[in-house]
Every structure is written in structure tokens, then in C-alpha cells.
Amino acid sequence: MLNRVTVWGEFRHEKTNPRVAHIYPEGMHEAIAQHLRRNRQLQVVTAHLDEPEHGLSESRLANTDVLTWWGHLAHDDVDDAVAARVCRRVLEGMGLVVLHSGHF
């Protein structure tokens, strides 16, 4: 059985800081996902803030066993309904790995 992982990131630094864009041209979330994809037991997808529903629709979350969350710059841009949806899934048993300053 594959473990389904969604790697979420703001994808803001990469769009506003040329140095960060050079290091992470596809986004930090994709760099994390590429590393995780080396493990054949993981099915890894990415999502970011600028996608519809921040890439975290009901369907996406229902098909996620573990969510990694990289937040730093745009915490206030996360829609409350999406945050509540993530919270509900965590309470239902979805794993959550909070990276960097996602604790805000």
C-alpha cells in the first residue's frame, strides 16, 4: 500500500526573491516532494497557496495520508475555510508535518 503525501507550500518566496527562485525554480514544495518521491512507498503530490482552494480541496485531503505544510510569509493569505478543512482532516487521522514557521 502506498502512503499518500501532499506537500504544501506557500510558493511566495520563489516568486518574489530572485535568489530563492534560483535555488528553488519549481518551488520549495517541489524540492521537498522530489526528495520524498525517491521512496517508492510514497505517492507524492504538491499543492500551493495560489491554486484554487490552495490546492487542498476536500477531494485532495480525502486522498492524503500525510500533509507537509511549509509556511513562512503568507499565513494571513490562507483562507479560513481551507484551514478548517485541514484541521478537520487532522482530527480525523490525517498526519501533519509542519515545517519552518508554519506554526504561525
Side-chain angles (χ1 to χ4, degrees):
M1 179 172 99
L2 293 177
N3 292 299
R4 303 165 299 173
V5 178
T6 298
V7 178
W8 187 89
E10 290 177 344
F11 201 30
R12 291 290 166 86
H13 282 83
E14 303 87 330
K15 294 179 180 181
T16 60
N17 184 319
R19 184 171 177 221
V20 176
H22 177 74
I23 297 167
Y24 302 104
E26 297 178 39
M28 289 179 242
H29 59 289
E30 187 55 43
I32 295 165
Q34 286 175 9
H35 177 75
L36 293 174
R37 288 181 184 121
R38 295 177 185 168
N39 184 330
R40 299 206 184 278
Q41 295 180 347
L42 302 178
Q43 180 183 47
V44 182
V45 297
T46 62
H48 61 81
L49 191 59
D50 294 328
E51 293 179 311
E53 300 182 77
H54 308 321
L56 299 174
S57 65
E58 291 279 358
S59 174
R60 169 67 58 83
L61 290 174
N63 289 295
T64 298
D65 299 314
V66 176
L67 174 67
T68 68
W69 185 280
W70 194 98
H72 178 74
L73 184 66
H75 304 294
D76 290 340
D77 293 344
V78 176
D79 184 87
D80 288 345
V82 173
R85 184 181 307 148
V86 169
C87 181
R88 186 171 52 253
R89 278 291 294 129
V90 170
L91 294 174
E92 292 170 355
M94 179 184 73
L96 176 65
V97 178
V98 179
L99 305 171
H100 195 50
S101 64
H103 63 283
F104 286 116

